[in-house]
């Protein structure tokens, strides 16, 4: 496997910076929930003489912003189809700026939650536009690694902000939590200037009939590749769009995500996100510091930093193995590792309940939590987004990505909303025993992967269309002999495009390109 084009690598890495917004927001809030001044500002005085935020208010503060993330993900598909991926990333940055400023100046719960609502709108846009842009621009052989950059920046953001939380927690006054919030403002300010120079997705431009713009975008993405044939690649993309339009002239709506073979693809995209959340990731990264405090672990802020560091290292491992080992094997192995971690945390919780001074049980909670985090970060964390981005066809990719992201957000909300009631002493008080619940759910996720999630490693996006149309069984994807033309990284010699009889003396890609443009314009006219 050769090295990918460095221009594509750099652009995909830059776009993935949008995921830092996701990681930092979840990471900072986990820390400030355990800060004294934050509890004094937004909590209430308890009979013990200490300030605390009730389970109901804590649940509202952490879960309501997911409404903004959900709406952004749902409408992100429509926005991405209408104005493109690059302008979607621009909206992501603007929403983040508004949300961060509101949180910095918040003096009551209403303004704080409103600010988090806008910031979660930015996160919702990020979950749609970042992986989708990467999937549409990266070559198939490196697509998994490129999309893994999204998850990598999520965990890096969470790690960096946990360090900030650790240092500011010692500050007396509101600066202890306002400084971590303010750090989030750096991200959109960094990303906005770069959006003016990166190209739009060539696949989106071709779908919109903007052929010359698509050529210019490909020239930027493939800069330095002497063997790259622009006309051949445009012709292949046109063929894919033309074929999808022939299958469904009214294509491109949310209804089409549930028609024909798209139903199977949409189900895979959504259910992989459901089981990703049910592995308990929000349990660790939205409530990690509070959780370690509740179960009696000393130095909870330091443990949170270590947890985030393991998360980063696990994602780095995934970056190197996702396109070598494949999606299915990693998901199955990761499920086993996470199951062992969760069940062991639950057992430590039982031991701790019988002997609250048992130091070994508290160490066990930390160790097995780290084992879970390593399993998640190297498998389910990045692969949930990789599979969702790969699995849809070009005509409804924005919609499928939006539905997958919205599903992730919805079930992340379910986990985040329910956790304070399961975890805290004023409700169920399960503490570390909540590991039994997520261990069981993780086992269900393993069963789902075995029966329903196909291997997509190294398969061009356009080739996946044929495989789904042929209704290939889940475990036979990688062995299927494909007949369709290769996608963005394909070669002209492998492509067969039926464009009618070619006039004498014009057996060239240029004539075929003009023919495909004419067909595409014809279908746009029929639709519009």
């Amino acid at each position: 496997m050769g090295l990918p084009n460095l221009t594509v690598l750099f652009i995909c890495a830059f776009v993935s910076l949008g995921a830092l917004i996701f990681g930092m927001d979840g990471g900072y809030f986990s820390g400030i929930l355990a800060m004294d001044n934050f509890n004094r500002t937004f909590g209430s005085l308890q009979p013990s003489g200490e300030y605390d935020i009730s389970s109901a208010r804590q649940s509202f503060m952490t879960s309501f912003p997911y409404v903004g993330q959900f709406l952004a993900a749902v409408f992100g598909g429509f926005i991405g189809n209408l104005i493109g991926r690059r302008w979607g990333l621009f909206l992501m940055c603007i929403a983040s700026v508004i949300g961060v400023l509101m949180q910095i100046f918040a003096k009551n719960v209403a303004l704080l939650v409103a600010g988090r609502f806008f910031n979660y709108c930015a996160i919702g846009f990020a979950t749609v536009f970042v992986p989708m842009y990467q999937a549409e621009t990266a070559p198939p052989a490196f697509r998994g690694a490129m999309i893994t950059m999204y998850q990598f920046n999520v965990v890096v953001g969470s790690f960096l902000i946990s360090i900030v939380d650790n240092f500011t927690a010692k500050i007396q006054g509101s600066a202890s939590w306002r400084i971590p919030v303010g750090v989030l403002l750096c991200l959109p300010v960094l990303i906005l200037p770069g959006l003016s120079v990166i190209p739009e997705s060539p696949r989106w431009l071709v779908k919109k009939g903007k052929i010359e713009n698509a050529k210019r975008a490909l020239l930027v993405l493939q800069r330095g590749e002497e063997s790259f044939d622009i006309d051949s690649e445009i012709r292949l993309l046109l063929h894919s769009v033309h074929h999808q339009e022939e299958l469904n002239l009214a294509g491109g709506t949310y209804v089409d995500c549930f028609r024909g073979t798209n139903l199977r693809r949409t189900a895979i995209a959504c259910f992989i996100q459901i089981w990703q959340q049910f592995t308990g990731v929000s349990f660790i990264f939205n409530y990690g510091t509070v959780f370690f405090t509740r179960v009696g672990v000393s130095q909870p802020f330091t443990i949170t930093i270590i947890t985030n560091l393991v998360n980063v290292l696990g994602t780095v491992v995934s970056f190197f193995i996702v396109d070598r080992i494949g999606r299915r094997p990693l998901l199955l192995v990761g499920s086993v590792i996470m199951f062992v971690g969760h069940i062991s945390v639950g057992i430590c919780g039982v031991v701790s309940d019988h002997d609250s001074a048992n130091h070994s049980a508290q160490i066990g909670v930390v160790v097995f939590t780290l084992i879970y985090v390593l399993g998640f970060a190297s498998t389910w964390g990045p692969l949930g987004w990789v599979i969702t981005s790969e699995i849809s066809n070009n005509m409804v990719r924005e919609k499928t990505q939006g539905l997958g992201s919205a599903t992730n957000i919805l079930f992340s909300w379910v986990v985040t909303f329910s956790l304070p009631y399961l975890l805290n002493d004023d409700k169920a008080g399960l503490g570390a025993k909540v590991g039994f619940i997520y261990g069981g759910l993780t086992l269900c996720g393993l069963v789902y992967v075995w029966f329903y999630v196909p291997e997509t490693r190294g398969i061009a996006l356009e080739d996946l269309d044929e495989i789904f149309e042929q209704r290939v069984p889940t475990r036979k994807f990688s062995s299927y002999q494909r007949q369709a033309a290769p996608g963005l990284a394909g070669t002209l010699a492998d492509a067969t495009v039926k464009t009618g009889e070619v006039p004498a003396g014009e057996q060239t890609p240029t004539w075929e390109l003009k023919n495909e443009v004419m067909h595409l314009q014809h279908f746009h006219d029929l639709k519009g």
Side-chain angles (χ1 to χ4, degrees):
M1 185 186 297
L3 289 174
N5 180 285
L6 292 180
T7 303
V8 174
L9 178 63
F10 176 79
I11 290 175
C12 286
F14 172 77
V15 170
S16 69
L17 291 178
L20 283 170
I21 297 173
F22 195 166
M24 282 192 169
D25 187 274
Y28 101 85
F29 204 69
S30 170
I32 68 174
L33 279 173
M35 293 183 184
D36 180 65
N37 186 269
F38 186 83
N39 281 272
R40 284 178 174 273
T41 304
F42 301 104
S44 56
L45 184 63
Q46 303 300 307
S48 62
E50 296 181 351
Y51 283 87
D52 193 26
I53 301 174
S54 67
S55 295
R57 177 170 289 189
Q58 192 178 111
S59 177
F60 172 71
M61 293 167 65
T62 54
S63 63
F64 180 77
Y66 282 94
V67 176
Q69 189 179 359
F70 180 83
L71 293 175
V74 170
F75 287 103
F78 172 77
I79 294 170
N81 182 60
L82 184 66
I83 64 176
R85 288 66 165 123
R86 193 172 61 168
W87 279 105
L89 293 168
F90 176 81
L91 290 178
M92 172 193 75
C93 292
I94 297 301
S96 180
V97 169
I98 295 172
V100 171
L101 290 176
M102 292 177 72
Q103 291 179 78
I104 290 175
F105 296 105
K107 294 183 178 180
N108 54 61
V109 172
L111 188 57
L112 178 78
V113 173
R116 283 176 54 74
F117 177 90
F118 276 99
N119 216 49
Y120 268 61
C121 286
I123 293 171
F125 288 137
T127 62
V128 174
F129 297 121
V130 174
M132 184 164 57
Y133 184 95
Q134 292 172 319
E136 292 184 342
T137 57
F142 294 91
R143 190 173 57 232
M146 296 298 101
I147 301 173
T148 298
M149 287 184 181
Y150 172 84
Q151 182 66 18
F152 175 74
N153 276 338
V154 170
V155 301
V156 167
S158 184
F159 170 65
L160 293 177
I161 205 68
S162 68
I163 295 176
V164 176
D165 279 348
N166 182 59
F167 281 102
T168 63
K170 303 176 180 65
I171 298 175
Q172 299 297 320
S174 65
S176 60
W177 59 270
R178 294 189 197 273
I179 290 175
V181 177
V183 171
L184 272 66
L185 197 60
C186 300
L187 300 176
V189 173
L190 174 67
I191 297 169
L192 278 170
L195 294 178
S196 63
V197 296
I198 67 170
E200 181 55 85
S201 162
R203 282 181 170 86
W204 179 80
L205 291 169
V206 168
K207 188 169 71 170
K208 291 299 182 180
K210 301 179 179 181
I211 308 304
E212 292 303 317
N213 290 344
K215 284 186 177 182
R216 286 193 289 270
L218 284 170
L219 282 172
V220 174
L221 291 169
Q222 300 298 332
R223 184 176 296 163
E225 290 290 326
E226 296 180 359
S227 61
F228 184 73
D229 189 330
I230 292 286
D231 282 347
S232 298
E233 295 298 337
I234 291 291
R235 182 169 63 90
L236 295 174
L237 293 177
L238 279 166
H239 174 65
S240 174
V241 173
H242 182 189
H243 178 61
Q244 291 297 329
E245 293 279 16
E246 281 183 321
L247 291 175
N248 187 354
L249 288 177
T253 68
Y254 277 106
V255 174
D256 294 311
C257 294
F258 302 95
R259 287 177 175 168
T261 58
N262 282 345
L263 175 60
R264 180 185 178 189
R265 303 169 86 156
T266 302
I268 293 171
C270 292
F271 276 98
I272 198 71
Q273 297 291 348
I274 291 174
W275 293 116
Q276 186 203 63
Q277 286 303 311
F278 276 167
T279 63
V281 59
S282 294
F283 159 46
I284 301 299
F285 293 106
N286 282 350
Y287 291 100
T289 309
V290 174
F291 168 67
F292 292 129
T293 302
R294 300 281 184 189
V295 298
V297 174
S298 60
Q299 298 182 322
F301 282 94
T302 302
I303 299 300
T304 300
I305 292 176
I306 296 172
T307 302
N308 282 287
L309 179 59
V310 171
N311 198 17
V312 172
L313 295 176
T315 308
V316 171
V317 170
S318 178
F319 182 84
F320 290 102
I321 64 178
V322 65
D323 286 316
R324 296 181 181 273
I325 297 177
R327 284 51 161 160
R328 276 175 57 83
L330 286 176
L331 287 171
L332 293 171
V333 171
S335 297
V336 173
I337 295 173
M338 291 187 297
F339 173 77
V340 171
H342 275 313
I343 294 300
S344 300
V345 166
I347 292 173
C348 291
V350 172
V351 173
S352 182
D353 280 354
H354 286 86
D355 181 7
S356 58
N358 192 318
H359 188 59
S360 297
Q362 295 172 357
I363 294 176
V365 168
V366 174
V367 170
F368 289 114
T369 296
L370 294 179
I371 289 174
Y372 159 80
V373 170
L374 180 63
F376 178 86
S378 57
T379 59
W380 278 82
L383 285 173
W385 300 108
V386 170
I387 291 171
T388 300
S389 300
E390 292 178 331
I391 213 71
S392 62
N393 74 51
N394 193 46
M395 297 307 296
V396 291
R397 179 162 292 114
E398 307 95 342
K399 309 298 189 304
T400 306
Q401 183 75 37
L403 289 171
S405 298
T407 303
N408 177 285
I409 295 159
L410 176 62
F411 283 86
S412 179
W413 173 83
V414 170
V415 173
T416 304
F417 179 83
S418 61
L419 262 171
Y421 296 94
L422 295 173
L423 196 63
N424 294 346
D425 293 335
D426 63 340
K427 296 297 179 183
L430 292 179
K433 295 191 294 296
V434 76
F436 291 125
I437 296 176
Y438 292 114
L441 291 171
T442 299
L443 192 60
C444 293
L446 183 150
V447 174
Y448 174 76
V449 170
W450 178 259
F451 286 105
Y452 295 107
V453 178
E455 181 58 70
T456 56
R457 177 174 66 109
I459 304 176
L461 298 180
E462 285 71 30
D463 293 340
L464 281 170
D465 293 340
E466 179 190 342
I467 297 176
F468 276 103
E469 287 168 17
Q470 295 299 319
R471 302 182 187 278
V472 176
T474 297
R475 289 187 290 279
K476 294 185 178 181
F477 265 54
S478 58
S479 61
Y480 178 76
Q481 297 298 313
R482 301 181 294 279
Q483 303 299 319
L488 193 60
T491 63
L492 180 60
D494 297 326
T496 301
V497 182
K498 297 179 181 178
T499 58
E501 184 179 354
V502 183
E506 291 202 22
Q507 305 285 342
T508 65
T510 302
W511 181 88
E512 292 174 338
L513 176 59
K514 291 178 180 177
N515 202 318
E516 288 290 354
V517 172
M518 180 183 68
H519 278 295
L520 182 63
Q521 186 60 54
H522 172 67
F523 281 103
H524 275 297
D525 291 343
L526 287 176
K527 288 175 66 180

